[in-house]
């Protein structure tokens, strides 16, 4: 994607020990009214025995510090029931 900046890519473990690939990006976009906004996106990838789960968080960068802790808490609450 044009103008996307990759901030980081890493593998982290959730509170229950599930390894998760995490990619963080910033992307400038224009709203429908023409206002320029930077979107922060965090892509989380969990590998399973028969595929993967991709969970994405996106918000205006201005709200990242408010909303990201809630998303991180949700990611930490995941449990793999069966593979």
């Amino acid at each position: 994607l044009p103008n996307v900046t990759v901030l980081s890519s890493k593998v982290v473990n959730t509170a229950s020990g599930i390894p998760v690939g995490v990619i963080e990006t910033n992307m400038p976009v224009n709203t429908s009214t023409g206002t320029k906004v930077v979107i922060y996106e965090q892509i989380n990838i969990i590998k399973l025995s028969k595929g993967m789960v991709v969970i994405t968080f996106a918000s205006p960068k201005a709200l990242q510090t408010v909303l990201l802790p809630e998303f991180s808490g949700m990611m930490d609450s995941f449990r793999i029931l069966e593979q």
Side-chain angles (χ1 to χ4, degrees):
L1 295 171
N3 301 319
V4 171
T5 301
V6 176
L7 304 173
S8 70
S9 61
K10 58 192 170 198
V11 176
V12 299
N13 289 324
T14 66
S16 63
I18 300 168
V20 179
V22 179
I23 303 168
E24 295 178 291
T25 66
N26 278 342
M27 178 175 51
V29 298
N30 290 325
T31 67
S32 60
T33 60
T35 305
K36 292 184 180 183
V37 176
V38 175
I39 300 297
Y40 168 82
E41 184 174 45
Q42 185 181 96
I43 304 162
N44 292 261
I45 304 160
I46 302 171
K47 186 177 179 203
L48 304 173
S49 62
K50 295 182 181 179
M52 68 178 74
V53 175
V54 178
I55 303 166
T56 302
F57 168 83
S59 77
K61 184 148 179 71
L63 295 175
Q64 173 188 350
T65 57
V66 174
L67 300 175
L68 190 57
E70 296 296 324
F71 179 77
S72 296
M74 180 189 75
M75 289 300 300
D76 270 339
S77 72
F78 284 136
R79 305 283 184 269
I80 303 295
L81 301 177
E82 287 184 31
Q83 288 206 44

